[in-house]
Structure formats: structure tokens, C-alpha cells
DNA sequence: ACCTGAACACCGTTCAAGT
DNA sequence: ACCTGAACACCGTTCAAGT
């Protein structure tokens, strides 16, 4: 899987060949297909593997510095990845997920867990009167996720991937979106 | 190009073959390569062709019903497309744009024109005191675009492509984002 | 039980040959 | 000048043969 990550990052999902991944991993094509049923399944495994240990960090930051700082942690991470050249790969994963039900299912459970985590932090922040109490937590968490991904992909597309500028844009939008109504 | 659209919609960008497009168009492979230098160039031509006549409609709606209704026109259009099954193709186009500088350049000029259009409508709405006057128009236009694309792609990924629900989500977020500060 | 790597089916692209 | 379609180089995947 490390070999596949290296190859995909270097050449993108569709450009990287199974032969290259085999060479990088030091195994034959037959052996690779013993562990992954297809090329698409390799992405699914990679993406699934990427989340997890960040969850704890997020909740800690939400308690210590507030919801928006915690969101900026996630957003900043994502923008760094895009700036490092993973944009096309991320878009490939999205495309592959939209097309393939099996991949979508294996990724969306992970995604829903992330949304639930943010929703929980939103409820905490509402209890602390830090943000608007009339926001529906799940829906707001989803919207914030969409905003992060949308800003990141747009910036990759427009070749404006400076992660600091991207984070400023997200922070400003999130503050407006979350601030209490009058 | 109509043949390519039909094939891409039916099977996706990477799954559709040049042979299929040739058959659908009723020409040979050689003839196709007389008009398009590569498969990637066909997407670029399609995407470039898609905008244009909507611009006038947007400005009229912005004048008649306000900025948010006009934005909902664009967003609704986009969500309809995703619900009709174009999500994977759109993600493919984004991935291809991020990877390929030539495609990115040909698409981004069109994209910038769209952002400029929204920015203009934002300035008008600010003059009418309809929305927050402290928003920077270009940056806000970009953020709204990112929000539309982010919501749409996320919903396609999560298999929740009902365009009415998507539009409600966008409208609520846009209202919060644009409303005057206190 | 697990791996190898040649072979298979198929792809995007080219170009000599036609009209 | 423009088109045809067989041929080329190369891809993801398989499977008989090895260890």
C-alpha cells in the first residue's frame, strides 16, 4: 500500500500502472492481485486508512481552543495535502466513489464518522454559546465539510494552492456561517 | 461532441472508449483525431461549451429576485446535473484539470468569468444593502462557488442527490454567509 | 499455500493507404 | 484536403506453471 501511495502521488491514479506499483513494492502482478481485487480497491484501502488518529486531536482542540480552531486543524491538513500535489488523486477518489458503489460504501462509513465527530463538537460549542444555537448540528457539519472540500478542490483547479490563503478563506467563511444570528 | 457527451454520461470519462465515441458519431478513429488531439481535449471542449447562455439569465434574476435567488439558479442547475448522473464525470473533469495544465488553462478562463459575474452581482446587492457590505466581492464569489461544488460532490458521494434537499442546504448556508454582520 | 510472469483482452493513438 | 481502419505500444487482469 505504501508503494501504491508513492506511485499514485507521483503519477496520479489513472497514470500509475500496476507494473510500477509491483516494481515499487518488489512483488509480481499475481501477488498484488492476491491482496487487492483491483486497482480501484487499492484507492479505497488507502483512503480508508488515512483517517482515524486525527479524531482525538480534533476533539481536544475543540475543547481547548473552540470549534473554529478545531475545524481549521482539519481544513489546514486538507489544504496541505492539496498543496503537496494530492489534488488530482483526491478528485480521482471522489470520481471513483461516485461511480463505484462498493468503494462508496467502504469510504462513506468513515466519512459519516467524521461528520458525527464534527456534529458533536458543534453541539458542545452551542452549549457553550460559542456559535448559533439554531443550527442543526449534522447538517451544519456536512456543510462545513463541503466548504472545506470545495475550497480545496477549487484552489487546486485554479492553481492557487497556498495553504495559508486557503485557510484564511475557510476561517472567514466558517465564522460567518457559524456566528449567532440576530 | 454530442456523441462524446452521450458516451461519457453513459459510462464515465475513463470507461468510455474512443471506439464508442467514434461509433456514436459515425466516424473513424482517424477522423476523430483530426478534430481533437486527445481524449482529455474532448472533455475540455465539452466543459468549455457548457457555460455562456446562463450568464444573462443569472444577471436578470439577480436584479429581479435578489442575489440569493440568482445563486440558487446556478446551484439548482448544478445539483440537477449531479442527480442526473453527471457527478463522476464532473469529478473526472476536475481531476483532469488539476493534473493537466493545458486543460486547466482552457477551463479556468471560463471559470474566472463566472466568478466575475457573481462578484458583480454581489457588488450590486451590497449597494442595495441586501447583504453584508464588508464582504470582499471576488473572494465571496469564489467561496460561494466552492460551497456549491462542495455540497454537490459530497451529496453525490453520499448518494443523497435529491436536488431539492441540496438546494435547501445551499440556500441556508448562503443566507448565513451573506447576511449583514452586527 | 503462495508467488511468478507470460499471455490475454482491450485501450488510446498513429499513419500508410485510400477517396 | 479529408477519411479509413489496421497496426502499434501499452494497459489491467488472469492463470498455468513453478516453489
Amino acid at each position: 500500500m505504501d508503494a501504491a501511495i508513492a506511485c499514485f502521488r507521483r503519477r496520479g491514479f489513472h497514470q500509475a500502472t500496476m507494473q510500477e506499483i509491483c516494481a515499487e513494492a518488489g512483488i509480481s502482478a499475481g501477488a498484488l492481485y492476491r491482496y487487492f481485487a483491483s486497482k480501484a480497491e487499492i484507492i479505497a484501502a488507502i483512503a480508508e486508512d488515512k483517517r482515524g488518529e486525527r479524531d482525538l486531536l480534533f476533539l481536544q482542540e475543540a475543547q481547548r481552543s473552540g470549534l473554529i480552531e478545531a475545524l481549521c486543524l482539519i481544513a489546514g491538513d486538507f489544504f496541505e495535502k492539496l498543496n503537496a500535489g494530492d489534488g488530482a488523486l483526491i478528485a480521482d477518489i471522489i470520481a471513483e466513489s461516485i461511480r463505484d458503489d462498493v468503494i462508496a460504501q467502504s469510504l462513506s462509513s468513515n466519512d459519516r464518522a467524521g461528520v458525527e465527530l464534527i456534529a458533536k463538537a458543534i453541539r458542545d460549542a452551542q452549549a457553550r454559546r460559542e456559535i448559533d444555537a439554531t443550527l442543526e448540528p449534522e447538517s451544519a457539519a456536512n456543510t462545513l465539510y463541503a466548504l472545506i472540500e470545495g475550497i480545496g478542490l477549487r484552489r487546486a483547479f485554479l492553481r492557487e494552492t497556498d495553504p495559508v490563503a486557503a485557510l484564511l478563506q475557510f476561517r472567514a467563511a466558517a465564522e460567518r456561517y457559524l456566528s449567532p444570528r440576530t
Side-chain angles (χ1 to χ4, degrees), chain A:
Chain A
M1 250 175 64
D2 285 337
I5 291 172
C7 290
F8 288 156
R9 185 164 293 161
R10 205 180 307 136
R11 306 231 298 137
F13 176 62
H14 292 288
Q15 272 63 37
T17 71
M18 292 302 252
Q19 314 291 340
E20 286 169 2
I21 297 170
C22 291
E24 180 95 21
I27 57 171
S28 69
L32 183 59
Y33 276 85
R34 185 158 281 277
Y35 300 106
F36 300 99
S38 70
K39 200 179 177 185
E41 199 171 273
I42 300 179
I43 300 199
I46 289 174
E48 193 147 7
D49 210 59
K50 280 292 173 86
R51 319 204 192 200
E53 81 280 11
R54 212 170 45 201
D55 289 9
L56 187 65
L57 243 73
F58 171 78
L59 281 177
Q60 286 178 340
E61 182 75 8
Q63 291 246 325
R64 195 180 342 135
S65 315
L67 174 65
I68 288 180
E69 292 312 312
L71 288 170
C72 283
L73 214 66
I74 293 177
D77 228 70
F78 185 64
F79 297 148
E80 292 285 355
K81 261 192 259 174
L82 287 169
N83 191 44
D86 286 0
L89 180 55
I90 290 168
D92 279 336
I93 293 175
I94 294 173
E96 222 49 38
S97 299
I98 293 175
R99 207 166 350 251
D100 187 325
D101 281 337
V102 178
I103 297 177
Q105 214 148 21
S106 97
L107 295 186
S108 70
S109 70
N110 219 314
D111 188 273
R112 278 176 222 276
V115 170
E116 193 39 56
L117 193 75
I118 295 180
K120 182 180 174 343
I122 287 175
R123 275 188 288 270
D124 291 349
Q126 285 174 329
R128 290 197 303 268
R129 303 205 171 281
E130 192 181 295
I131 60 168
D132 185 5
T134 66
L135 273 168
E136 204 283 301
E138 265 81 17
S139 168
N142 233 301
T143 299
L144 287 163
Y145 242 112
L147 189 61
I148 292 172
E149 289 173 2
I151 287 175
L153 287 176
R154 261 192 82 65
R155 280 181 170 268
F157 164 62
L158 294 170
R159 304 290 191 273
E160 297 169 356
T161 57
D162 174 25
V164 176
L167 195 55
L168 275 173
Q169 184 184 358
F170 170 71
R171 187 192 297 269
E175 279 169 359
R176 281 177 184 275
Y177 176 68
L178 293 168
S179 69
R181 305 286 86 189
T182 50

